[in-house]
């Protein structure tokens, strides 16, 4: 198995073997990538995930091999040659081909023909030599086989089934599908109006290999909704021609060649085409799922690693019209201090009262920043806030993407945090905290609700959940977590923890107070040595007993750093503070056990910037003075923020209700295959409006000069 995985992924077999050993011991991907570089050969998280996925896939294949061998053995039909074939087959669809003749199934037309004694006739036809049909058929006549045509039909059924179960024949058909299958779709009669959003696919007829993931998912969704009829098949004449060439010899008498020709056509149309078409549709869907899930995962990673504003005293506003704007004040650590409602927008327009309330609260809580949700009434509320007569240094104002805030506010997590507050207050708190630290707040929301995916409801939900969970885990551990302030939900994603241990850590904090050292983690209920090993390096303690507790240096490496300091007659604090001391260290002198030069270089980076946050700081951004789509004109240049990236382009927030589409053809003079190479989620752009459809609320954008 190791060699197969190594060959498939083009990764050295020794590295694959060591990584799988680490997985088997309970190690996580973030832990291996960060603290076991020597064992893995420095593989990154993408490579480690690929090894894990392929390892699990190969285990499933081996289970299926064992099952098939057992079932055929039970039938007494397992030969040495067949067993060898099964053991050496590592593709599931080919394994199923080998199992097909032995698979228990409902009684087929061929089974009935055999019961009627027609198997010898089928063998004579396959022998392709002349024989006396009347002499063969006469003894076979019965109530079920009335005449010669009945006999030939039954024989053809037996031949068709044999061809369907023939490995070579199925490989021939698959080759045609692989190279020449065309994906066809047409609108269901009478559904033209209902299917308008799929209009581009009403007369689809393209090679399968030319279709992009989002097109396949769109067509299959339309088929599921009963709006399109879909077919996938290669040229039928070419397939039948190859199958006939495979089974009919030139010396075959014409009358028997005609019978075999009919059997081959029946085998393909009735038996092979439906199953292999279904197989290739599933395969295309699976590949489209992977592509779409990857886009979602890439977008989610960028969103989670978005720039944090940091610990600032915050006012957060969830805008609205008739129901008013929900306003909360938060401490620098995100605790709710006060909440109220103001009505600066229509229909109430109580701007004077709202002005007094906002200015009083800013002074009372010494507010440093104001977060405003970018949903309904967001721009009007932003304009109201920007026009306030601030005294002294005005708070910095930000529009915050509020996707998913309503999901959080109605969740069990929010009810536990704020049992006495309604959902509007919880939503405003989430908006403010999201500005402070997007990662810490967004982990509380189901990633599928954040709105950065493509066809996320159509893809394999288990795969999507696993992939997005891995992304969240990766981001949390890449940034690191403050052990004394992190929420239970953030701690859940720390390597080696999970929900139960995260809850136990929070309970320990409540009963014992703040952690003073990483070693104190060992006192947490049910947190054993393996969990400590996996988690400790990703947990930070500010102003802890040990200076390395606020770094990414793993406790297992503390003795090495302590030895470095001792050899220089200095303390660890001196090493962290003095660059000239660190320059004197010869890393090769400290290579020991599992800690080699790659890990030592990581240690030096941590000593250089202890407790550093890898995310860039949040920058101030302001939209242009446009508030609705009617304010736009073709040729207008506007600032915007990328809110979603898909396979065909990116959506850009222009500060109005509708997002504009930046199609990949408008990103560069070069051909753009992957929009994510040209734009990033949250990126600030200057875009030009190149198309407007006011009726359909569509805006086409360009960044090409």
């Amino acid at each position: 198995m190791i060699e197969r995985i190594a060959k498939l992924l083009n990764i050295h077999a020794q590295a694959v073997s060591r990584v799988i050993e680490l997985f088997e011991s309970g190690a996580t991907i973030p832990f291996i990538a960060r603290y076991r570089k020597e064992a893995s050969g420095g593989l990154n998280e993408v490579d480690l995930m690929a090894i894990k996925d392929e390892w699990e896939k190969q285990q499933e294949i081996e289970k299926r091999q064992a099952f098939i061998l057992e079932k055929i053995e039970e039938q007494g039909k397992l030969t040495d040659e067949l067993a060898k074939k099964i053991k050496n087959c590592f593709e599931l669809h080919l394994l199923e081909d080998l199992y097909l003749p032995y698979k228990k199934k409902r009684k087929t037309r061929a089974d009935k023909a055999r019961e009627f004694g027609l198997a010898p006739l089928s063998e004579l036809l396959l022998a392709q030599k002349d024989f006396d049909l009347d002499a063969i058929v006469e003894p076979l006549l019965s109530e079920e086989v009335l005449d010669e045509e009945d006999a030939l039909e039954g024989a053809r059924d037996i031949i068709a089934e044999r061809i369907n179960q023939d490995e070579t024949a199925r490989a021939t058909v698959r080759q045609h599908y692989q190279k020449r299958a065309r994906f066809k779709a047409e609108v269901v009669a009478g559904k033209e109006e209902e299917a308008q959003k799929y209009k581009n696919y009403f007369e689809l007829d393209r090679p399968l290999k030319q279709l992009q993931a989002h097109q396949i998912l769109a067509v299959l969704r339309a088929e599921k909704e009963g709006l399109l009829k879909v077919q996938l098949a290669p040229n039928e004449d070419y397939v039948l021609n190859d199958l006939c060439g495979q089974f009919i010899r030139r010396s075959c008498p014409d009358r028997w060649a005609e019978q075999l020709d009919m059997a081959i056509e029946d085998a393909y149309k009735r038996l092979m085409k439906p199953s292999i078409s279904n197989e290739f549709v599933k395969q295309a869907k699976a590949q489209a799922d992977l592509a779409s899930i990857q886009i979602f995962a890439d977008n989610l990673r960028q969103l989670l690693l978005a720039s944090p504003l940091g610990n600032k005293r915050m006012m957060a506003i969830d805008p609205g019209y008739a129901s008013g704007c929900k306003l909360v004040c938060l401490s620098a650590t995100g605790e709710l201090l006060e909440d109220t409602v103001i009505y600066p927008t229509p229909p109430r327009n109580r701007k004077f009262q709202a002005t007094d309330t906002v200015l009083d609260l800013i002074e009372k809580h010494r507010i440093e920043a104001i977060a405003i949700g970018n949903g309904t009434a967001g721009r009007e509320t932003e304009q109201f806030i920007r026009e306030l007569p601030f005294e002294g240094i005005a708070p910095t104002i930000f529009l915050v993407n509020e996707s998913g805030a309503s999901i959080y506010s109605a969740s069990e997590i929010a009810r536990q945090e704020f049992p006495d507050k309604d959902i509007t207050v919880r939503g405003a708190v989430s908006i403010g905290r999201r500005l402070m630290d997007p990662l810490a707040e967004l982990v509380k929301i189901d990633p599928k609700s954040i709105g950065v995916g493509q066809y996320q409801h159509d893809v394999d939900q288990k795969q999507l959940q696993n992939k997005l969970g891995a992304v969240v885990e990766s981001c949390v551990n890449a940034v690191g977590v403050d052990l004394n302030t992190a929420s239970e939900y953030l701690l859940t994603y720390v390597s080696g923890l999970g929900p139960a241990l995260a809850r136990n850590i929070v309970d320990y904090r409540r009963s014992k107070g703040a952690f003073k050292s990483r070693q104190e983690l060992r006192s947490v209920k049910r947190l054993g040595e393996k969990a400590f090993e996996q988690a400790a390096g990703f947990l930070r303690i500010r102003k802890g007993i040990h200076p390395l507790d606020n770094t990414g240096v793993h406790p297992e490496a503390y003795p090495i750093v302590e030895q470095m300091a001792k050899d220089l007659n200095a303390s660890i604090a001196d090493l962290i503070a003095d660059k000239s001391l660190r320059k004197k260290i010869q890393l090769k002198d400290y290579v020991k056990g599992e800690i080699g030069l790659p890990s030592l270089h990581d240690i030096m980076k941590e000593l250089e910037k202890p407790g550093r946050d890898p995310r860039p700081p949040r920058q101030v951004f302001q939209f242009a003075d446009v508030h609705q789509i009617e304010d736009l004109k073709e040729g207008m240049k506007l600032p915007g923020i990328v809110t979603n990236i898909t396979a065909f382009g990116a959506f850009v927030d222009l500060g109005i209700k509708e997002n504009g589409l930046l199609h990949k053809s408008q990103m560069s003079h070069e051909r753009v295959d992957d929009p994510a190479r040209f734009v990033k989620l949250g990126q600030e752009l200057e875009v030009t409006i190149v198309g407007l459809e006011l009726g359909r609320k569509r805006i086409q954008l360009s960044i090409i000069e």
Side-chain angles (χ1 to χ4, degrees):
M1 182 193 290
I2 300 296
E3 293 294 338
R4 285 199 307 277
I5 295 172
K7 188 175 180 180
L8 280 166
L9 301 179
N10 196 26
I11 296 173
H12 198 281
Q14 189 177 31
V16 172
S17 177
R18 287 175 176 173
V19 167
I20 288 175
E21 284 177 16
L22 286 165
F23 284 143
E24 288 176 329
S25 73
T28 66
I29 287 175
F31 176 80
I32 298 170
R34 179 67 178 79
Y35 298 113
R36 291 295 180 265
K37 289 184 175 178
E38 289 73 21
S40 72
L43 295 176
N44 60 32
E45 289 192 6
V46 174
D47 291 331
L48 294 171
M49 178 62 79
I51 291 173
K52 188 175 185 183
D53 288 345
E54 195 57 46
W55 176 47
E56 290 171 352
K57 180 182 172 184
Q58 292 295 327
Q59 286 177 308
E60 287 302 311
I61 288 172
E62 289 187 353
K63 282 182 189 174
R64 188 62 180 165
Q65 285 174 329
F67 174 84
I68 290 171
L69 287 166
E70 181 185 345
K71 291 300 175 184
I72 300 176
E73 179 70 49
E74 286 174 2
Q75 297 174 33
K77 297 177 181 178
L78 186 64
T79 64
D80 290 344
E81 183 184 357
L82 180 57
K84 186 178 179 181
K85 273 187 176 181
I86 291 169
K87 288 174 183 176
N88 290 326
C89 182
F90 301 102
E91 291 188 51
L92 281 173
H93 67 273
L94 296 181
L95 261 181
E96 297 307 320
D97 281 357
L98 291 171
Y99 184 37
L100 189 59
Y102 311 96
K103 205 171 189 176
K104 287 186 178 179
K105 49 191 176 289
R106 290 178 300 175
K107 186 176 285 189
T108 64
R109 282 163 44 174
D111 290 333
K112 291 176 183 176
R114 290 188 193 94
E115 288 176 2
F116 301 154
L118 298 173
L121 177 56
S122 71
E123 294 296 337
L124 286 170
L125 289 172
L126 285 169
Q128 302 182 40
K129 294 179 180 177
D130 219 345
F131 61 89
D132 185 344
L133 182 61
D134 291 338
I136 297 296
V137 168
E138 189 174 348
L140 301 175
L141 296 178
S142 65
E143 290 182 6
E144 290 81 13
V145 183
L146 299 176
D147 52 27
E148 183 179 287
E149 183 48 44
D150 279 356
L152 288 171
E153 184 180 346
R156 291 198 303 269
D157 286 342
I158 294 171
I159 293 168
E161 185 171 272
R162 281 184 60 171
I163 291 170
N164 177 52
Q165 294 175 352
D166 185 88
E167 292 173 59
T168 310
R170 293 182 74 83
T172 296
V173 175
R174 278 202 185 91
Q175 194 171 44
H176 277 275
Y177 271 84
Q178 194 77 46
K179 293 181 177 179
R180 303 180 188 90
R182 296 187 73 85
F183 208 77
K184 299 180 181 181
E186 59 179 296
V187 66
V188 173
K191 299 276 189 176
E192 291 82 0
E193 196 62 38
E194 191 181 343
Q196 273 304 300
K197 64 180 176 180
Y198 301 112
K199 188 177 179 181
N200 292 345
Y201 305 110
F202 280 9
E203 297 176 353
L204 179 70
D205 184 359
R206 290 178 62 185
L208 173 61
K209 55 189 177 185
Q210 289 182 10
L211 287 175
Q212 296 184 30
H214 68 276
Q215 294 171 320
I216 291 170
L217 292 174
V219 170
L220 293 178
R221 178 197 280 181
E223 181 189 37
K224 192 175 180 180
E225 292 172 357
L227 301 175
L228 293 182
K229 288 190 288 186
V230 177
Q231 181 186 3
L232 176 67
N235 184 293
E236 196 168 275
D237 292 338
Y238 291 167
V239 178
L240 292 174
N241 187 58
D242 277 2
L243 288 174
C244 287
Q246 194 172 318
F247 286 96
I248 304 176
R249 296 192 291 271
R250 289 183 180 180
S251 60
C252 181
D254 289 347
R255 62 188 302 209
W256 306 144
E258 184 182 346
Q259 293 297 319
L260 290 173
D261 197 55
M262 292 166 66
I264 288 167
E265 185 173 352
D266 180 47
Y268 174 65
K269 289 184 176 179
R270 179 170 60 88
L271 301 174
M272 300 172 86
K273 183 179 176 181
S275 67
I276 292 179
S277 286
N278 189 46
E279 176 188 310
F280 271 79
V281 169
K282 282 184 177 178
Q283 194 178 92
K285 166 72 163 57
Q287 290 170 349
D289 282 0
L290 286 176
S292 294
I293 288 170
Q294 189 59 54
I295 288 172
F296 198 153
D298 291 343
N299 287 349
L300 179 63
R301 180 179 296 278
Q302 292 176 38
L303 188 66
L304 293 176
L305 295 179
S307 303
L309 186 63
N311 294 345
K312 304 283 186 184
R313 294 182 295 277
M314 182 83 62
M315 176 179 286
I317 304 173
D318 185 0
Y321 288 119
S323 59
C325 300
K326 278 61 70 180
L327 183 153
V328 298
C329 294
L330 306 175
S331 72
T333 56
E335 294 174 21
L336 177 60
L337 303 174
E338 190 168 344
D339 65 272
T340 188
V341 182
I342 57 174
Y343 299 92
T345 55
R348 302 198 189 187
N349 290 313
R350 297 179 184 171
K351 290 191 175 182
F352 291 117
Q353 296 95 319
T355 297
D356 291 342
T357 300
V358 171
L359 293 177
D360 287 347
L361 289 173
I362 287 172
E363 183 179 0
K364 178 180 177 181
H365 297 292
R366 295 177 295 133
I367 296 299
E368 299 171 274
I370 300 176
I372 303 167
N374 70 341
T376 303
R379 290 303 307 283
E380 293 88 338
T381 305
E382 179 198 20
Q383 186 176 0
F384 161 72
I385 293 292
R386 289 191 184 280
E387 292 174 353
L388 290 177
F390 297 111
E391 292 183 6
I393 299 174
T396 314
I397 300 165
F398 297 88
L399 265 181
V400 177
N401 187 333
E402 62 178 45
S403 295
S406 60
I407 302 292
Y408 161 77
S409 60
S411 69
E412 181 60 32
I413 295 172
R415 285 195 291 273
Q416 289 174 6
E417 283 195 275
F418 303 106
D420 302 325
K421 300 295 181 182
D422 67 25
I423 60 173
T424 60
V425 173
R426 297 171 192 159
V429 171
S430 182
I431 289 167
R433 288 177 173 176
R434 194 178 296 194
L435 177 60
M436 286 183 184
D437 188 342
L439 178 60
E441 191 61 21
L442 289 172
V443 294
K444 302 174 186 175
I445 302 170
D446 182 347
K448 288 182 285 186
S449 302
I450 296 175
V452 291
Q454 180 185 18
Y455 293 100
Q456 63 254 39
H457 301 296
D458 299 299
V459 301
D460 184 293
Q461 293 301 296
K462 184 179 179 183
Q463 279 189 350
L464 178 64
Q465 197 73 29
N466 290 343
K467 184 71 172 181
L468 299 186
V471 169
V472 176
E473 181 184 39
S474 170
C475 292
V476 168
N477 291 288
V479 171
V481 171
D482 188 322
L483 182 56
N484 285 319
T485 62
S487 68
E488 178 183 322
Y489 319 104
L490 188 59
L491 287 167
T492 295
Y493 288 100
V494 172
S495 168
L497 294 185
L501 288 178
R503 194 173 306 115
N504 291 349
I505 287 172
V506 172
D507 289 344
Y508 183 92
R509 270 192 336 223
R510 288 189 187 123
S511 62
K512 305 287 186 181
F515 285 87
K516 298 176 183 63
S517 74
R518 281 172 168 165
Q519 292 301 325
E520 199 177 341
L521 277 167
R522 299 179 190 275
S523 302
V524 172
K525 183 180 176 183
R526 294 182 181 171
L527 200 153
E529 283 305 308
K530 176 55 73 173
F532 179 84
E533 174 198 63
Q534 296 296 305
F538 301 107
L539 296 167
R540 310 280 191 267
I541 300 175
R542 301 181 194 279
K543 300 178 181 177
I545 294 172
H546 201 297
L548 294 179
D549 282 351
N550 192 34
T551 71
V553 178
H554 197 283
E556 67 188 7
Y558 284 12
I560 290 176
V561 181
E562 288 162 358
Q563 187 62 49
M564 289 175 178
K566 184 179 178 182
D567 292 345
L568 292 169
N569 294 317
S571 67
I572 291 175
D574 294 334
L575 271 187
I576 292 171
D578 192 339
K579 184 178 180 180
S580 63
L581 273 177
R582 295 196 300 274
K583 281 188 173 181
K584 295 178 182 178
I585 296 171
Q586 296 295 316
L587 293 183
K588 60 182 175 58
D589 296 338
Y590 299 96
V591 173
K592 183 180 180 182
E594 292 178 334
I595 299 178
L597 284 175
S599 293
L600 289 168
H601 282 296
D602 285 345
I603 288 170
M604 296 307 290
K605 288 177 187 174
E606 290 295 330
L607 295 178
E608 184 181 340
K609 292 181 180 178
R612 75 189 189 282
D613 190 323
R615 299 169 292 178
R618 179 73 178 247
Q619 302 296 321
V620 177
F621 174 86
Q622 189 168 347
F623 289 111
D625 188 22
V626 293
H627 299 274
Q628 54 192 8
I629 193 169
E630 287 77 14
D631 296 337
L632 305 182
K633 291 182 175 60
E634 285 194 29
M636 190 180 277
K637 291 185 182 294
L638 297 169
I641 296 177
V642 177
T643 58
N644 199 3
I645 301 172
T646 69
F648 53 83
F651 289 95
V652 180
D653 184 359
L654 303 173
I656 62 175
K657 182 179 179 181
E658 298 81 12
N659 282 348
L661 172 62
L662 176 60
H663 193 270
K664 62 183 182 180
S665 62
Q666 293 293 332
M667 290 182 177
S668 172
H669 290 295
E670 307 169 24
R671 176 185 170 86
V672 176
D673 291 318
D674 181 9
R677 286 183 52 242
F678 287 80
V679 294
K680 300 297 178 189
L681 208 68
Q683 182 178 342
E684 298 168 11
L685 300 170
E686 182 180 70
V687 295
T688 303
I689 297 174
V690 293
L692 271 175
E693 294 180 67
L694 295 181
R696 299 174 74 185
K697 302 287 186 183
R698 291 190 174 180
I699 308 163
Q700 287 86 45
L701 306 173
S702 176
I703 55 173
I704 298 174
E705 291 295 331

